[in-house]
Amino acid sequence: MRLKYLTIILAALTLCFSCARRVETGYDAIDYVDKLMSESYSSLQKMAAQVGNADGTIVLVGDPMRCVTVSETMMGFDEFDNVDARPVKDSLPDFAGETIVSLMDFANPPYDSLHLTPADSLFFREVAVRSALAAMDSSVNCKILVICSPQLALKGTEDILDLFGKIGCDVPVISSVDSTFSLPEACFKVMREKNMFTHDIAHPVARLMMNVGGEMSAFPTVKTFDESLVPEYFADTVGVFAPYTYVSHVQNKHISGRNR
């Protein structure tokens, strides 16, 4: 089965993209993935078959603040000509017609509070896999996965690729450990290369969703953003530091139709 993956970006060096399978050398799957394979393999295959289509959504996963920051940039991102992809502005958002889903992780401690001890590294690896599973939820309809948190990129990207490879999931994965790296630009280039745009002439639509599932369940629980279930500081300020994302979410959350 053809697998479409983006090469993991593990340092702020020359960046290289490819569609190759990841190299297996020296890699050991975490117990969580092994358990998923033994207990939920057929269900995961069915989920994988439903994602990765051009009519799906761009899904941002990770720390809530980083997700909405990337979303806000993507809502107005205009660095390329939408017709021929030349690196010139054309006064049309590069993600016109797309739905950008911020799938925020409120189930776990703030990532910045962890210091990458062995236990913390395992935590990030499991969180990364749970984030990928949440993105595959039918309510999300993911076509490309963007890991917004450098911690998840460093410790968890390989585990996501391991999971996707085992279940035949064709969703490209974009990540970087460099916080200054342009995830929107990388997302645009991969979607252009793989012809994953909707080609609709419309403003991008933002959706705010949240992963609230704890460790007791094999699969994370995905919900529409609910201000009553998140830290007060975030609920009070999301509309301030991500106004276009927040307004789009509020305006479109009750509208049925394209990926909403």
Side-chain angles (χ1 to χ4, degrees):
M1 181 178 294
R2 226 162 25 101
L3 302 179
K4 302 174 184 176
Y5 292 141
L6 185 66
T7 300
I8 310 170
I9 305 167
L10 292 179
L13 302 173
T14 301
L15 303 175
C16 176
F17 299 102
S18 75
C19 298
R21 293 173 183 265
R22 90 179 157 75
V23 178
E24 298 287 342
T25 306
Y27 177 81
D28 292 318
I30 57 176
D31 290 343
Y32 179 48
V33 171
D34 289 339
K35 184 176 181 180
L36 287 170
M37 291 302 100
S38 64
E39 298 181 359
S40 305
Y41 181 66
S42 60
S43 296
L44 289 168
Q45 282 189 309
K46 291 178 182 178
M47 293 170 66
Q50 300 302 314
V51 297
N53 303 310
D55 62 351
T57 66
I58 301 167
V59 181
L60 317 177
V61 297
D63 172 83
M65 189 74 75
R66 291 187 182 276
C67 285
V68 295
T69 299
V70 174
S71 173
E72 192 71 2
T73 300
M74 295 179 76
M75 290 292 287
F77 196 70
D78 180 19
E79 298 296 329
F80 298 92
D81 186 296
N82 288 50
V83 175
D84 56 20
R86 288 180 301 132
V88 295
K89 300 180 186 294
D90 62 358
S91 300
L92 180 67
D94 291 335
F95 295 99
E98 301 300 324
T99 299
I100 303 164
V101 178
S102 294
L103 185 49
M104 302 171 287
D105 178 19
F106 287 104
N108 297 291
Y111 298 168
D112 290 341
S113 68
L114 304 174
H115 302 290
L116 296 185
T117 65
D120 291 339
S121 294
L122 178 60
F123 164 84
F124 278 120
R125 294 179 69 184
E126 293 181 351
V127 167
V129 173
R130 288 182 178 276
S131 296
L133 289 176
M136 293 171 64
D137 189 273
S138 60
S139 66
V140 181
N141 190 23
C142 177
K143 67 178 175 183
I144 186 165
L145 185 67
V146 181
I147 304 176
C148 296
S149 298
Q151 298 96 327
L152 289 189
L154 176 64
K155 292 296 181 179
T157 305
E158 192 170 17
D159 294 287
I160 294 176
L161 295 180
D162 177 55
L163 173 69
F164 282 3
K166 287 175 176 175
I167 63 177
C169 180
D170 269 355
V171 171
V173 177
I174 296 176
S175 67
S176 175
V177 301
D178 179 4
S179 61
T180 67
F181 175 72
S182 178
L183 295 171
E185 180 178 340
C187 185
F188 177 88
K189 289 180 177 178
V190 172
M191 290 177 63
R192 180 80 183 190
E193 175 190 345
K194 300 181 182 300
N195 193 25
M196 300 181 73
F197 285 97
T198 64
H199 301 297
D200 291 343
I201 304 300
H203 287 292
V205 170
R207 292 172 57 196
L208 298 176
M209 303 189 74
M210 49 198 292
N211 170 12
V212 296
E215 295 183 2
M216 296 302 293
S217 58
F219 291 87
T221 301
V222 178
K223 294 179 178 291
T224 298
F225 178 67
D226 184 340
E227 294 183 3
S228 69
L229 299 178
V230 305
E232 185 175 350
Y233 78 88
F234 189 87
D236 288 344
T237 60
V238 63
V240 175
F241 57 74
Y244 295 111
T245 293
Y246 184 73
V247 169
S248 178
H249 167 75
V250 171
Q251 289 178 340
N252 293 281
K253 67 178 179 180
H254 298 304
I255 299 176
S256 60
R258 176 180 58 83
N259 299 324
R260 292 176 187 163

